[in-house]
Amino acid sequence: MNLFTDKKKVVAAVALGLSCALTACIPNPALARYSAPQEETVRVLPINRAKFLQGQKFDFAVEVKNGSASGIQVTVNGKDAAAFFGKKASTSMEGPIAVYRIDDVSFPKSGKYTVSVTDADGRRSVEYSVTDEKSKKRAKNVILLIGDGMSVQAREIARILSKGITEGKYNDLLNMEKMPHMALITTSGYDSLVTDSANSASAYATGHKSVVNAMGVYENCTKDPLDDPKVENIIELAKRTRGMATGIVSTSNITDATPAAMLAHTRRRAELNYIAQDMLTERHRPDVILGGGSANFLPKSVNGSKRKDDVNVIKGFEDLGYRFSSTKSELDKIPAEADKLLGLYHLNHMNVYVDRAMLKNPKVLGGFDDQPGLVEMTDKAIRALSKNKNGFFLMVEGACIDKQLHVLDWQRAAYDNIEFDQAVGVAQKFAEKNPDTMIVVVADHAHGASITGTYHELDGKKGREAVRTYADAKWTTFEDLDGDGYPDDPNPSVTLAVQFANHPDTNVDYRFKQVPTDPAIMSGDKAVANPNIKGELAPGNIPAADSQEVHSADDILLNAQGPGSEYFRGVMDNTEVFFGIVRALGLDGNKNVK
């Protein structure tokens, strides 16, 4: 039985971006300073310089433009590829493209592998590396916490608000910043300098690059978003090779990019209904699923559903023994012995901390006035997953850091970043009693927000003239009187002056908005400043069709603790997060628990 596909097709495989790896011999990385667009005649998937865990499953494919399916010859280390993998290759034509594909294969031994493709046009080669490295001290559990969009500046804003600063020294650090190991992570996919959350989270989940909007796959040339060559991800590996418990927790729609990337395989992240139903598939079905997104789990007959069919995915989980909750109160009542949980607390993304826990505006909450926070969901997930004697893998996402920075609402982003850090604290408390737990905290990509200084109107100045720089900046007046880590007022008299490097036309007033407000609105095919914000016009510096702030290509920080965390140091590619995790767990892709 094919490990990956419920929907099986023989298709062309196409890798965009690393053209020098696909159209010529292997480049010298020291000489290849950039990857420029070129005419691609031969494409090999996985791409050149891909790295694998020993025994990790993947689909192998070759595409030849204007070639002949019968004329493609492929070798691995000089041996016919079909004989090497022990599986017959499928060959076909997709229009003018000749395709060669062998699904569900692996490299059983560590080492270097050269794949050579010969056709009427000549010979092409790519190189792969396969690792079986295991840390000396193994982890039983891994908790991966992803602050979506949590750039270095976003962390600093959260630290300023949550911990305060006295005479230039911070009163304390965030939980994540106290971990012993740190690395700088690069974030690009193989198609573009700037990534999205699906592509970047997929790198953490599989150890392989992908393209914008894709997860768990290498992009091919067909329009079908579900037939692209797949790579086995961390949840599939943990379940197949070790029988571990697995879980995903997020403040977003649980079928959104980051949580979905831990288990799904699709070229198009917007296939939310498919992803929701696919979570029932045994090979990558998490034991704990907590977040938003009930609209994609409810049958179309239910008010609020976004499904196009009568499939009740929630009932599908309940039939498998999952305890379902739709509110915090229901989650709290689930018995402690429960080890399989499905919680969906909003039709789409959950409300952010400021609106959910502080302002509680009924119009903003839209009837979802009993949502758990990320701290509660993380704690509940760990308690359920830790019942598995084989250990667990848990991904926790602070999703709305990213979503609030997209709309230039740095205050709401900061409070969600603080909440995310407190969820890190929950993981650390568990690790204190269970030292065989590795914790990894990382962002998936950055945003272009930066702290210029402070802002206040106490002397009558307004707008840009009220931005205080250098010695005039002094200090903010955020206060946390009850000591819970959250400032009592998100709109103090002296606040931060936060500027964005990549935004649409918008009116800037530097102040917290009591009701979430989009920075720009669409007028035809152009984004214009939202007139509901009364402030100075800040002309956009991104394409006029973009109504939100966009991701940046900045490197991001990773912090880690526990067995195997010494792996993370220096500057590392985002795919190395996966290899740090499987190394710590000591996973071997050649093993099967069943």
Side-chain angles (χ1 to χ4, degrees):
M1 180 178 178
N2 191 307
L3 172 68
F4 294 117
T5 54
D6 296 321
K7 183 174 183 180
K8 172 81 173 184
K9 291 182 180 179
V10 176
V11 296
V14 56
L16 301 176
L18 265 80
S19 54
C20 62
L22 304 176
T23 62
C25 27
I26 301 163
N28 180 345
L31 300 178
R33 289 178 171 80
Y34 60 88
S35 181
Q38 298 178 15
E39 177 69 16
E40 295 173 318
T41 57
V42 177
R43 295 170 176 171
V44 182
L45 298 179
I47 60 174
N48 185 44
R49 295 191 291 163
K51 182 177 177 181
F52 302 81
L53 173 68
Q54 175 179 281
Q56 182 181 13
K57 305 291 186 180
F58 66 97
D59 297 337
F60 174 77
V62 175
E63 176 186 75
V64 180
K65 186 177 181 181
N66 297 320
S68 166
S70 60
I72 302 174
Q73 297 180 15
V74 185
T75 62
V76 181
N77 284 357
K79 185 176 182 179
D80 176 74
F84 177 88
F85 289 123
K87 300 188 74 171
K88 184 178 179 180
S90 297
T91 57
S92 64
M93 295 297 299
E94 290 285 338
I97 299 173
V99 298
Y100 174 108
R101 182 161 170 166
I102 310 177
D103 283 357
D104 192 20
V105 297
S106 66
F107 293 109
K109 295 181 180 180
S110 62
K112 299 291 185 180
Y113 294 84
T114 299
V115 174
S116 297
V117 179
T118 304
D119 72 328
D121 250 357
R123 186 181 181 90
R124 309 289 185 264
S125 295
V126 299
E127 285 191 345
Y128 300 145
S129 62
V130 179
T131 181
D132 63 352
E133 183 181 355
K134 298 175 177 60
S135 62
K136 291 182 180 179
K137 189 174 182 180
R138 306 285 175 82
K140 178 181 179 182
N141 315 302
V142 169
I143 304 174
L144 172 64
L145 298 109
I146 301 175
D148 199 323
M150 187 178 63
S151 62
V152 175
Q153 295 84 353
R155 285 181 177 226
E156 184 183 357
I157 293 170
R159 188 195 316 131
I160 291 171
L161 269 62
S162 183
K163 306 303 179 183
I165 184 169
T166 304
E167 294 181 331
K169 292 186 177 182
Y170 286 95
N171 302 325
D172 199 358
L173 298 177
L174 299 173
N175 291 319
M176 68 184 86
E177 296 173 325
K178 298 176 182 179
M179 294 182 174
H181 299 288
M182 184 170 72
L184 193 66
I185 304 296
T186 63
T187 63
S188 299
Y190 74 78
D191 65 328
S192 174
L193 179 67
V194 184
T195 189
D196 78 319
S197 294
N199 184 10
S200 51
S202 181
Y204 297 158
T206 66
H208 289 255
K209 296 287 189 182
S210 194
V211 299
V212 170
N213 291 324
M215 56 184 80
V217 299
Y218 281 99
E219 181 192 37
N220 68 15
C221 66
T222 71
K223 293 182 180 180
D224 188 339
L226 305 178
D227 67 1
D228 302 77
K230 299 171 178 61
V231 183
E232 192 172 22
N233 55 48
I234 183 60
I235 285 183
E236 291 167 338
L237 275 162
K239 289 170 68 70
R240 176 175 69 84
T241 68
R242 181 75 59 83
M244 298 172 67
T246 61
I248 52 174
V249 173
S250 178
T251 50
S252 72
N253 183 325
I254 204 66
T255 64
D256 198 22
T258 301
M262 297 300 113
L263 58 96
H265 302 277
T266 175
R267 171 65 182 86
R268 186 171 178 266
R269 59 181 283 183
E271 297 290 328
L272 304 185
N273 290 333
Y274 167 80
I275 293 170
Q277 188 170 349
D278 189 47
M279 286 185 182
L280 287 166
T281 304
E282 195 280 332
R283 71 172 182 275
H284 54 223
R285 182 171 64 240
D287 299 281
V288 172
I289 303 169
L290 302 176
S294 58
N296 303 110
F297 289 74
L298 294 166
K300 67 178 183 179
S301 58
V302 176
N303 187 36
S305 170
K306 290 186 177 180
R307 295 196 66 84
K308 307 299 182 184
D309 53 36
D310 292 316
V311 174
N312 187 333
V313 182
I314 294 174
K315 186 177 185 303
F317 277 100
E318 289 179 323
D319 290 345
L320 291 169
Y322 283 68
R323 299 297 298 262
F324 175 69
S325 57
S326 61
T327 65
K328 179 182 182 299
S329 299
E330 291 175 356
L331 179 65
D332 291 341
K333 292 177 182 177
I334 292 177
E337 63 270 16
D339 60 355
K340 295 190 183 302
L341 308 177
L342 173 65
L344 302 170
Y345 308 108
H346 202 288
L347 286 171
N348 194 13
H349 307 309
M350 296 173 66
N351 290 100
V352 300
Y353 182 88
V354 166
D355 296 316
R356 169 176 30 89
M358 296 176 66
L359 300 181
K360 301 179 182 179
N361 184 331
K363 292 184 179 180
V364 174
L365 296 180
F368 294 92
D369 53 2
D370 188 17
Q371 302 171 56
L374 191 63
V375 172
E376 294 95 335
M377 290 192 294
T378 301
D379 180 66
K380 198 74 173 182
I382 291 173
R383 291 175 186 273
L385 295 173
S386 59
K387 293 176 173 59
N388 188 313
K389 61 180 175 58
N390 297 320
F392 67 85
F393 168 80
L394 170 64
M395 191 289 301
V396 176
E397 182 198 22
C400 295
I401 303 167
D402 169 82
K403 299 185 189 307
Q404 296 308 302
L405 290 174
H406 273 305
V407 292
L408 309 182
D409 195 336
W410 66 264
Q411 294 97 334
R412 282 182 169 82
Y415 278 74
D416 267 43
N417 207 331
I418 294 168
E419 181 182 42
F420 173 75
D421 189 62
Q422 293 194 0
V424 173
V426 171
Q428 289 173 317
K429 287 182 180 178
F430 175 80
E432 287 177 7
K433 296 180 180 179
N434 300 270
D436 53 359
T437 300
M438 183 172 79
I439 303 173
V440 179
V441 181
V442 68
D444 47 359
H445 57 75
H447 281 270
S450 188
I451 306 168
T452 303
T454 62
Y455 181 89
H456 71 78
E457 301 173 356
L458 298 175
D459 56 4
K461 293 180 180 179
K462 294 182 181 295
R464 63 187 295 182
E465 297 306 321
V467 174
R468 318 297 165 150
T469 61
Y470 294 110
D472 292 335
K474 305 301 180 185
W475 313 105
T476 65
T477 55
F478 287 101
E479 292 185 305
D480 176 16
L481 298 178
D482 60 6
D484 64 354
Y486 300 96
D488 306 304
D489 182 1
N491 195 30
S493 58
V494 183
T495 188
L496 289 174
V498 176
Q499 317 281 5
F500 286 82
N502 39 9
H503 60 84
D505 284 2
T506 188
N507 295 318
V508 178
D509 65 3
Y510 299 93
R511 284 300 183 183
F512 172 75
K513 311 296 184 294
Q514 290 293 319
V515 174
T517 306
D518 292 330
I521 57 176
M522 296 304 296
S523 177
D525 58 357
K526 181 180 179 180
V528 299
N530 190 334
N532 292 322
I533 301 175
K534 307 301 180 183
E536 295 176 330
L537 175 65
N541 51 17
I542 55 176
D546 291 330
S547 62
Q548 292 193 347
E549 182 261 10
V550 297
H551 298 171
S552 69
D554 303 348
D555 297 339
I556 46 88
L557 288 178
L558 176 149
N559 297 91
Q561 68 177 64
S565 61
E566 71 282 350
Y567 185 80
F568 299 109
R569 61 189 184 279
V571 180
M572 306 181 79
D573 187 74
N574 59 0
T575 55
E576 288 300 316
V577 175
F578 168 85
F579 291 102
I581 291 172
V582 296
R583 173 183 178 272
L585 290 170
L587 296 186
D588 183 347
N590 290 325
K591 294 184 177 179
N592 294 282
V593 293
K594 294 182 180 179

